[in-house]
Amino acid sequence: MADPADVVRQFIAAWSRLDVEELVGWFTEDGIYHNMPIAPVQGHAALRQFIAGFAGGWATTQWDVVNLAVSGNTVFAERVDRTTTRDGKQVDLPCCGVFEVRDGRIAVWRDYFDMNAYMAGLAG
């Protein structure tokens, strides 16, 4: 059985490749991704569309883990997501992800962050 902390660390590292199919593959078939400021999405088809929607505008991204804590199959990952958009804007977004891991895949991912900080970074 995969260690939940390892699953989350590998998933976070995968974001730097910006490969939508790889990222969707980390989720269970019924996986849920909930960026708290907006409605959750569920299932591979919805996840694929959602992730492609914002990652497609990124030139690069590197997510730095600040703290990681595990309780059973739940992983809390405090991060700073450092992203450069295709038009050259730099966005450094502090956030915290809460992941529920099942059978080596992400069943639920809830991300908490300040949408205003993200939008301000995009405004340049």
Side-chain angles (χ1 to χ4, degrees), residues 102-121:
R102 183 176 70 226
D103 299 326
R105 296 229 166 124
I106 296 164
V108 180
W109 172 22
R110 293 178 299 277
D111 240 359
Y112 299 86
F113 61 93
D114 180 355
M115 182 65 87
N116 290 329
Y118 183 73
M119 298 309 289

Side-chain angles (χ1 to χ4, degrees), residues 18-62:
L18 292 173
D19 180 330
V20 173
E21 289 305 315
E22 178 186 8
L23 294 167
V24 170
W26 281 100
F27 287 87
T28 60
E29 287 293 326
D30 61 345
I32 297 170
Y33 177 22
H34 191 180
N35 270 324
M36 282 301 154
I38 54 181
V41 295
Q42 183 172 15
H44 280 193
L47 289 163
R48 184 175 293 107
Q49 181 178 1
F50 187 77
I51 291 170
F54 63 84
W58 296 350
T60 64
T61 194
Q62 175 67 41

Side-chain angles (χ1 to χ4, degrees), residues 36-102:
M36 282 301 154
I38 54 181
V41 295
Q42 183 172 15
H44 280 193
L47 289 163
R48 184 175 293 107
Q49 181 178 1
F50 187 77
I51 291 170
F54 63 84
W58 296 350
T60 64
T61 194
Q62 175 67 41
W63 295 8
D64 299 329
V65 175
V66 177
N67 289 296
L68 193 124
V70 181
S71 177
N73 288 328
T74 302
V75 179
F76 295 79
E78 179 185 13
R79 319 181 308 269
V80 178
D81 297 357
R82 302 178 193 286
T83 302
T84 303
T85 64
R86 293 206 180 275
D87 60 359
K89 294 179 181 155
Q90 179 67 37
V91 180
D92 293 340
L93 183 67
C95 57
C96 184
V98 180
F99 299 83
E100 296 174 26
V101 177
R102 183 176 70 226

